[in-house]
Amino acid sequence: MTVRTPQTRQAPKPPDYVLLVFVGGLILLGLHVVYSATFALAITEYDSVVYFLVRQAIWAAVGAVLLLICLRINYHFWGALSPFFVILAAVMLVLVLVPALGVDQYGAQRWLRLGPLPPVQPSEFVKLGVILGLATWLSGPGDRAKHFKTGMLPVLAFILVFGFLIMKQPDMGTALVMVLIALTMYFLAGADLVALGSMVVAGFGAGMALIMAAGYRSERLQSYIDPWKDPSGLGFHIIQLLIALGSGGLFGLGVGASRQKFFYVPGAHTDGIFAIIGEELGFVGCLAVILLFAGVVYRGARIMQDAPDRFGSLLAAGIVSWIAFQALINIGGITRSIPLTGIPLPFISYGGSSLAATMAAIGILLNISRYRQTHAAAVRPVARHVPPSWMERV
Amino acid sequence: MNPPNGISPIRFSFILILLAGCSLALVGRIGFLQIVQYQDFAQQADGNHWAKQTVQAHRGAILDRDGNPLAVSTSRWEVSIDPSKLKSPLLRERAIAAVAAAMGVSPLEVEGKLLMQPAPAVARIQSAQDVPLPVTGLTASAGPVVISGTLDYQQGKSLAAKGIPGIIIQERSDRNYPEGGLASQLLGLLGRDQSGLSGTEMDYDRELAGAPGTLVYERDSLGNPIPLGFRSEVQSKPGGDLVLTVDRFVQRTIERELQAAMERHKATGGTIIVMEPNTGAILGMASRPTFDLRNPNLSDPKSVDLMRNRAITDLYEPGSTFKVLTMAMAINEGLVTPETTYMDSGPVTKYGIPLETWDFRHHGTQTMNQLLMTSNNVGAVWVGEKVGVKRFYEYANKFGIGQPTSLGLSGEAAGQLRTPSDKDNWWPIDLATNTFGQGLSVTPLQMVTAVSSVINGGTLMRPYLVQRIETPDATRTFQPTPVRRVISEEASRTMRTMMNMIAEQGGTTSYAVPGFRIGVKTGTATIPGEGGYKTDSTIASIVGFAPYETPRAVVLVKLDAPKDSPWGSVVAGPMFSNVVRELMVYWRIAPTASAMVSSRRQ
């Protein structure tokens, strides 16, 4: 199977190293904060200060390998395989609901244990699958996004099928991120604004209905609106997150000095890690994290803009919006800007599946960057010999 | 114009601006939380994390006059394992091994205890008055299992220093009583919360307790100290040791004698007090019924009642022993001498009430000495009238009758003495009955204090029980405290002689102490009941001193409602004799020649 487009025939350029530097910065910062947030927990519960750090570092290494592989594989390869990935994603989401294979944690079934392999969180890979599927479909011949049958209907089908499967776990945060990614891609692909607008309105209505349908979600909404109504019960988590963040001040308490990590902040090393960053490194540290993310998004957006074809562009858009929305929703929840949902902060939160999946996605993004069309190149493409292989030399 | 990838620059910019807007809003929000609201959240964080715990100070000991411990606190370590903290088998194994090594047993044994004993190590409340140990952050978490309550002090300390997760080490304090149940009422009970509930433990609680220290530490949301967190301890200040005036030998002697007499005479109660007449120091003080410090039963109100120190809380009518005081008044005023005579021509009727002698015999002309020897009520009334109403009550007040002695223990009764100034309650007949110790009530301690002043040269001493408080920094010594002079040296000498003559009158007396010269006065008092005096029971008592030449001890013996004989001389006399004989031997006082003669003469 070969895919040949005029754009990919040109010799690949070096990847966007600046993007790599930003991502590397986030991962290193993440390793540091994971260590600082867990060493006390690790020594008391696992008899090793580096218990969590070592595991996160191993996953970072796995992610780095995935990143390097994806960096070398022409991104069109994923487009050709996208039906397979979409089906695989759906199958994984079904398997996680099977009691024998899914791991129940905190009242939700989000982990998949296959044999002796470490348990993985399919949701993270599903996001990648959905991005691939949508990018492939929307970049197909003709202006698919513009028409109801080829645009709104398939996008809606994607959202409904995967949204339903993810909500079965249940995991509203991930579902929300997935919907936002899909809508962003649909919008950029040239969606009919009336169709998109009605989907946004309907989606908002459906979201509210889902919140009201589950008691714990409406409680969570209540705790968002007024956490101090029940400070030791429903409001405890959000108040403790705010105390952690707020008590950090301008420069923080210092590296490793967080006190809120001692069972006050929920998921101090996972979903709540941004609060610990705020407590230990202060406003300066928070700003640094947000700037690093902004850098990733900005460089990603540039890659998307400069992508040689529609598929590459939409693929980049999906990956960038994934990281952007997930970071915004995570930090927004911790700062009580929006209701709290349990999703990890990309590259930083402890958790192997998220780290490996996002790093693989960055690898794909970097590969797209190798075919960037500078303005001049777009005007005057240089035809050069291309090795007939998916593996490319960097 | 769209680029080759067909993405609308307008839509692209829209998304970028949307994301940038959201990010800026978030940065603003974070800045608001971390800079504007910083003070507020920092305060809340401090409220979250700082925990304060009180560290009990080591409680001082209670010692007898020679420094022998009567009540002493010992510390031990209680070691518990909290299985909920041991999530991995490795941690569990290590905690068990460390505890086993400290205890000197095999890990298997510790493992067994951990499995066998699911009850949490929270203090169990044994009775209503028993206060449970304060539940601290260390005990509050669920499920620690006590492995040993008696870990060696050094072992415990080094185990605690290791700070192994899952192992909880707490200092526990026990009160030990090396002399057994000796002086239970005097010492008093110590509660589980380490505060005195009765007796000396209660009244000197502040001195014994010391100052508790405080431990300030950072805690996690479960209340446990956080690993590597801040920790600051203000050391507790140990309490002072209380050195009593009590002599454990004297105390043991009187308790043994009292217990034996209680059983022999089937009495309902009794008291013996031994006092140093010149200083007011209590050498021994015991009452029955009593309780055992080592095994108190606090759930029964009746046995709680047994804790009170009857020698200072309970009143009785002293009866004829009071004649010593009446006679001392008259001698001191120069109204009579030992040889002064009066005429006992039969019962006297005062204000319509006939007053009789105890044996209904009438002796005709008697000297004052003979009056005391025969314990003649009619004679006492004659002496009292010579003293006169005004002076009689002045003297009674000076002897401390009707006022607490200020021994230093709480619950001391004042006694009852109606005086002419109390016009509603005092009747002229009261003077007559008061002269022979009826119609007024005293505590045993008041009586022994008053008699001490009669024979010690005439000065009323404030009785005291604590002679020294020794804290690590300082020693506080309590000196004998004279309250007032009541009678002259001369009168006191005369009274000693007169009391000695009671002891050395012809015939065999129950209270004689072979080889030693003593002075005594017995008493048999009727007990006030409903609408008059009971006819079937008495309080048999005796108060005396020994040796006659230089009195070392005033001893008061009182037995309530003896069943076999009502008389003070018959029941209380032998008890007095036994106690004094033991004391003379204990103090290595040589028998006197004249006493030998006098005892041979008997």
Side-chain angles (χ1 to χ4, degrees):
Chain A
M1 188 165 71
T2 57
V3 175
R4 273 167 213 258
T5 59
Q7 287 84 357
T8 52
R9 286 216 187 87
Q10 67 182 98
K13 300 188 175 85
D16 185 349
Y17 288 116
V18 179
L19 172 68
L20 198 56
V21 168
F22 286 142
V23 170
L26 282 170
I27 291 171
L28 287 179
L29 187 77
L31 285 172
H32 165 83
V33 184
V34 162
Y35 174 65
S36 144
T38 58
F39 68 85
L41 180 74
I43 185 76
T44 52
E45 298 213 338
Y46 299 95
D47 195 30
S48 155
V49 283
V50 293
Y51 180 87
F52 293 97
L53 177 66
V54 164
R55 274 153 187 77
Q56 182 76 341
I58 290 171
W59 276 107
V62 169
V65 170
L66 290 176
L67 186 147
L68 287 174
I69 291 171
C70 293
L71 172 62
R72 284 160 174 272
I73 295 176
N74 188 303
Y75 63 91
H76 291 99
F77 171 75
W78 308 111
L81 287 179
S82 65
F84 167 72
F85 282 114
V86 170
I87 291 165
L88 180 69
V91 168
M92 278 170 85
L93 282 178
V94 172
L95 283 180
V96 85
L97 296 174
V98 175
L101 299 170
V103 180
D104 198 309
Q105 205 174 18
Y106 312 118
Q109 210 148 349
R110 296 179 183 176
W111 297 82
L112 188 60
R113 186 183 286 279
L114 292 170
L117 293 169
V120 289
Q121 216 169 351
S123 306
E124 300 301 327
F125 298 100
V126 166
K127 281 176 223 159
L128 201 50
V130 169
I131 291 168
L132 270 175
L134 276 174
T136 309
W137 175 258
L138 290 172
S139 63
D143 273 340
R144 284 182 173 171
K146 283 202 170 65
H147 309 291
F148 176 75
K149 272 190 185 169
T150 53
M152 183 173 166
L153 209 59
V155 171
L156 203 57
F158 258 96
I159 289 176
L160 287 180
V161 169
F162 284 97
F164 172 78
L165 286 172
I166 293 170
M167 286 308 288
K168 283 296 276 185
Q169 293 186 359
D171 186 353
M172 191 154 185
T174 299
L176 178 65
V177 171
M178 192 210 62
V179 169
L180 287 173
I181 295 169
L183 292 180
T184 306
M185 291 173 75
Y186 180 41
F187 174 70
L188 289 172
D192 178 34
L193 290 181
V194 175
L196 182 68
S198 52
M199 275 172 76
V200 169
V201 171
F204 190 77
M208 288 310 289
L210 281 171
I211 287 171
M212 294 310 161
Y216 77 92
R217 284 197 205 104
S218 62
E219 277 177 356
R220 215 177 244 196
L221 193 66
Q222 282 297 316
S223 74
Y224 162 69
I225 292 164
D226 186 8
W228 285 274
K229 201 170 142 193
D230 184 10
S232 57
L234 290 178
F236 182 78
H237 280 171
I238 184 67
I239 288 174
Q240 295 307 326
L241 285 165
L242 289 174
I243 290 176
L245 197 65
S247 66
L250 195 53
F251 298 106
L253 300 177
V255 171
S258 164
R259 300 176 294 178
Q260 287 288 101
K261 66 191 171 195
F262 295 105
F263 312 115
Y264 292 99
V265 161
H269 59 297
T270 58
D271 300 346
I273 200 162
F274 189 76
I276 306 300
I277 294 176
E279 190 186 5
E280 295 198 344
L281 305 175
F283 181 67
V284 173
C286 291
L287 202 59
V289 169
I290 289 171
L291 284 176
L292 283 171
F293 274 115
V296 170
V297 170
Y298 174 71
R299 297 304 293 195
R302 284 280 301 273
I303 292 167
M304 176 207 143
Q305 201 181 20
D306 296 342
D309 54 28
R310 202 174 170 75
F311 172 66
S313 199
L314 288 175
L315 190 54
I319 292 168
V320 172
S321 57
W322 170 14
I323 288 156
F325 285 124
Q326 194 156 326
L328 282 174
I329 289 171
N330 178 282
I331 298 174
I334 285 168
T335 54
R336 203 170 75 88
S337 309
I338 57 169
L340 196 60
T341 55
I343 55 169
L345 186 61
F347 307 117
I348 294 184
S349 284
Y350 177 79
S353 304
S354 169
L355 189 58
T358 45
M359 285 179 80
I362 292 296
I364 295 171
L365 196 58
L366 286 171
N367 182 268
I368 300 170
S369 78
R370 300 185 67 189
Y371 301 98
R372 61 185 170 270
Q373 299 281 298
T374 59
H375 200 60
V379 175
R380 191 168 52 85
V382 182
R384 299 243 323 248
H385 172 71
V386 174
S389 159
W390 294 108
M391 296 302 287
E392 294 155 4
R393 289 199 355 249
V394 175
Chain B
M1 199 202 103
N2 286 3
N5 53 37
I7 301 297
S8 151
I10 298 168
R11 293 198 177 194
F12 173 76
S13 307
F14 176 81
I15 294 288
L16 270 195
I17 290 165
L18 183 77
L19 292 178
C22 288
S23 306
L24 278 177
L26 267 190
V27 170
R29 171 79 179 148
I30 294 167
F32 176 72
L33 290 171
Q34 294 196 298
I35 297 165
V36 181
Q37 296 196 311
Y38 165 71
Q39 289 296 338
D40 187 28
F41 283 120
Q43 228 164 32
Q44 289 192 46
D46 280 347
N48 260 356
H49 303 293
W50 294 110
K52 214 170 131 179
Q53 198 182 323
T54 304
V55 181
Q56 284 279 0
H58 184 81
R59 192 175 177 86
I62 303 179
L63 311 168
D64 89 339
R65 65 187 298 121
D66 298 320
N68 300 302
L70 301 176
V72 61
S73 281
T74 51
S75 288
R76 62 187 165 89
W77 294 103
E78 185 182 272
V79 56
S80 317
I81 292 183
D82 185 353
S84 70
K85 292 267 166 57
L86 305 174
K87 291 202 172 132
S88 77
L90 184 85
L91 281 178
R92 188 186 165 90
E93 209 169 286
R94 190 178 60 174
I96 287 172
V99 171
M103 287 170 65
V105 298
S106 80
L108 230 64
E109 203 170 309
V110 176
E111 176 91 56
K113 281 196 172 159
L114 200 53
L115 295 173
M116 292 289 289
Q117 210 178 329
V122 243
R124 278 168 288 271
I125 304 172
Q126 286 194 334
S127 73
Q129 297 202 351
D130 211 0
V131 186
L133 278 166
V135 176
T136 64
L138 290 172
T139 52
S141 62
V145 176
V146 178
I147 302 298
S148 168
T150 55
L151 195 62
D152 172 75
Y153 192 83
Q154 277 309 320
Q155 290 280 7
K157 225 173 163 170
S158 62
L159 188 60
K162 282 182 193 155
I164 298 167
I167 300 180
I168 299 167
I169 301 207
Q170 283 172 297
E171 198 174 346
R172 292 261 189 257
S173 190
D174 293 322
R175 202 68 165 160
N176 296 305
Y177 305 102
E179 298 292 332
L182 192 73
S184 287
Q185 288 170 340
L186 209 53
L187 297 176
L189 196 64
L190 187 66
R192 267 176 167 263
D193 63 345
Q194 297 292 303
S195 72
L197 300 179
S198 73
T200 312
E201 296 271 24
M202 179 171 82
D203 292 319
Y204 290 85
D205 199 35
R206 215 159 50 92
E207 289 79 0
L208 286 165
T214 43
L215 176 65
V216 175
Y217 60 91
E218 289 181 281
R219 65 178 173 202
D220 65 20
S221 70
L222 307 170
N224 297 314
I226 61 178
L228 317 171
F230 178 86
R231 191 183 161 89
S232 146
E233 189 173 350
V234 177
Q235 289 286 331
S236 60
K237 233 178 98 191
D241 289 344
L242 225 55
V243 182
L244 301 185
T245 56
V246 168
D247 185 309
R248 67 171 175 176
F249 176 86
V250 176
Q251 184 72 22
R252 201 180 307 124
T253 304
I254 62 177
E255 290 205 16
R256 191 187 56 222
E257 204 51 53
L258 189 56
Q259 189 60 40
M262 284 285 291
E263 285 156 21
R264 196 181 320 127
H265 303 294
K266 302 200 167 45
T268 57
T271 295
I272 300 180
I273 302 177
V274 181
M275 180 185 267
E276 224 171 50
N278 296 328
T279 62
I282 306 287
L283 298 176
M285 180 187 268
S287 294
R288 290 291 179 275
T290 187
F291 73 111
D292 192 336
L293 265 180
R294 295 163 299 179
N295 190 21
N297 178 8
L298 294 171
S299 51
D300 180 4
K302 263 197 221 149
S303 55
V304 171
D305 188 49
L306 297 178
M307 283 162 58
R308 76 169 193 270
N309 188 351
R310 287 152 197 269
I312 64 167
T313 61
D314 286 17
L315 298 173
Y316 74 113
E317 298 203 1
S320 299
T321 53
F322 199 85
K323 286 176 187 150
V324 171
L325 305 185
T326 305
M327 186 59 75
M329 299 172 194
I331 296 280
N332 193 52
E333 287 294 321
L335 301 170
V336 295
T337 67
E339 301 308 324
T340 304
T341 55
Y342 79 108
M343 184 64 183
D344 170 19
S345 53
V348 288
T349 303
K350 295 283 173 189
Y351 312 100
I353 296 169
L355 297 171
E356 246 307 358
T357 56
W358 62 275
D359 51 2
F360 307 105
R361 280 168 60 189
H362 294 278
H363 306 276
T365 303
Q366 268 195 321
T367 64
M368 291 299 113
N369 273 331
Q370 287 166 328
L371 183 159
L372 285 183
M373 285 180 212
T374 55
S375 198
N376 192 325
N377 288 349
V378 175
V381 174
W382 181 85
V383 173
E385 283 185 338
K386 266 193 107 63
V387 174
V389 174
K390 188 165 170 285
R391 274 187 299 202
F392 181 87
Y393 288 103
E394 273 170 17
Y395 270 106
N397 278 326
K398 279 185 173 178
F399 277 123
I401 307 303
Q403 307 133 34
T405 64
S406 307
L407 172 70
L409 292 183
S410 58
E412 207 192 330
Q416 271 197 335
L417 178 68
R418 294 189 295 270
T419 59
S421 59
D422 182 4
K423 289 190 176 65
D424 291 338
N425 290 313
W426 186 84
W427 296 90
I429 178 71
D430 282 332
L431 173 68
T433 54
N434 286 172
T435 59
F436 51 89
Q438 299 278 179
L440 55 81
S441 63
V442 296
T443 63
L445 180 67
Q446 276 176 332
M447 200 59 208
V448 83
T449 308
V451 172
S452 288
S453 75
V454 170
I455 61 117
N456 72 0
T459 304
L460 188 77
M461 300 300 294
R462 176 190 294 168
Y464 69 110
L465 184 68
V466 177
Q467 58 168 330
R468 233 168 33 245
I469 299 174
E470 295 173 346
T471 60
D473 319 324
T475 299
R476 245 167 86 200
T477 308
F478 297 90
Q479 301 296 340
T481 314
V483 180
R484 65 181 81 87
R485 173 164 289 282
V486 186
I487 60 172
S488 65
E489 292 257 9
E490 178 67 36
S492 178
R493 198 178 310 126
T494 308
M495 285 308 299
R496 283 202 297 274
T497 311
M498 290 178 84
M499 286 176 77
N500 173 247
M501 288 189 69
I502 300 171
E504 292 185 9
Q505 60 185 297
T508 309
T509 55
S510 60
Y511 34 78
V513 182
F516 295 94
R517 301 188 67 188
I518 58 167
V520 294
K521 180 70 194 83
T522 59
T524 305
T526 44
I527 303 173
E530 272 176 61
Y533 285 94
K534 292 182 188 172
T535 50
D536 55 343
S537 60
T538 60
I539 291 177
S541 70
I542 183 168
V543 59
F545 62 92
Y548 166 67
E549 296 82 0
T550 47
R552 291 272 310 261
V554 172
V555 179
L556 180 140
V557 175
K558 155 182 168 296
L559 208 60
D560 304 339
K563 296 290 176 296
D564 49 354
S565 163
W567 305 112
S569 56
V570 177
V571 174
M575 294 165 68
F576 175 88
S577 168
N578 291 344
V579 168
V580 171
R581 193 175 56 240
E582 293 270 6
L583 294 184
M584 295 301 108
V585 173
Y586 175 58
W587 286 329
R588 298 168 191 274
I589 295 172
T592 47
S594 55
M596 308 271 240
V597 172
S598 77
S599 58
R600 253 202 310 278
R601 198 176 60 203
Q602 289 169 14

